[in-house]
Every structure is written in structure tokens, then in C-alpha cells.
Amino acid sequence: MQEFLLILKGDGMNHLSPNELQGILEDYKSWVDELGENYLGGQRLEENGALLRSKDDAILTDGPFLESKEIIAGFFLIQAKNQKEANAIALSSPHLGLYSIEVRPIAFPKMS
């Protein structure tokens, strides 16, 4: 099995009512239960943060990177046999449609 990061992009749930958010939470819990051991974790990210470009540049705590439509809203860590299976898992996510989901394999360095 290989690990994949499902990256949620967009402002997704900012416009939903409390009842709609509760429905998404229930769908999410069911999805996690269905994935079983293939679900390794995940979390929603706060909108604020910092951007560091180099040791010599100032730390940016506000900027266009936080306002972008490509903002990273959260992530899930899953395991799957291959990219195709990871894509299928992402397609089954209740978050798809609220967010775009980028599916990226996690590279593990070879041990010498």
C-alpha cells in the first residue's frame, strides 16, 4: 500500500448554514467508516497562517496567498494500492464539489 495526500482546495464550506455543515459532518463520518483502515487521518486548516520564502525575507502573515481561490482548506491522508485507487477514494469524498481535491502520492526516500 502507498500513502496519498488528498488536498482540499477552495473556500468550500464558508457559505453553508449550520444545518448544511452538520449534514456534511455526518457524510464525512460515514465516508471515514467506509474507508476503514485506508483512512489514516485528516484535518481542516485555519484560513490564517504564514508564508516563509527564505531565511532572509520577512515572514508574511497576510497576503494574496491567503485570499486565493486555491487556498488549501484541509487534507486527508489515505492509503491505496495505486494512484487509480486513490483517485477513486477522492471521487467518493463528500467534500468533492465543495472543494477541488488534489491527489498526491507521498514519496518515501529509499533507505540505504
Side-chain angles (χ1 to χ4, degrees):
M1 295 292 254
Q2 185 175 1
E3 291 182 2
F4 292 83
L5 193 62
L6 307 184
I7 304 165
L8 302 178
K9 293 183 174 183
D11 65 359
M13 295 190 275
N14 291 341
H15 63 283
L16 299 179
S17 72
N19 286 340
E20 290 170 317
L21 289 171
Q22 185 61 38
I24 293 291
L25 180 60
E26 290 169 13
D27 291 345
Y28 167 72
K29 288 178 182 178
S30 295
W31 181 66
V32 168
D33 288 342
E34 288 173 21
L35 290 179
E37 66 182 29
N38 287 337
Y39 179 82
L40 302 177
Q43 197 60 278
R44 178 176 120 5
L45 299 175
E46 294 291 337
E47 290 182 15
N48 58 352
L51 176 65
L52 295 83
R53 292 192 173 135
S54 76
K55 292 183 181 189
D56 299 326
D57 287 342
I59 295 173
L60 303 176
T61 57
D62 188 23
F65 64 97
L66 295 176
E67 305 299 326
S68 168
K69 295 217 183 268
E70 289 300 311
I71 189 168
I72 297 174
F75 66 92
F76 300 114
L77 182 62
I78 63 165
Q79 62 182 3
K81 293 177 190 169
N82 52 39
Q83 182 77 49
K84 183 177 179 180
E85 184 178 70
N87 293 347
I89 290 171
L91 282 169
S92 73
S93 170
H95 295 89
L96 189 60
L98 294 170
Y99 299 99
S100 60
I101 300 178
E102 185 175 342
V103 182
R104 301 284 300 273
I106 295 178
F108 290 99
K110 291 186 178 185
M111 302 302 250
S112 339

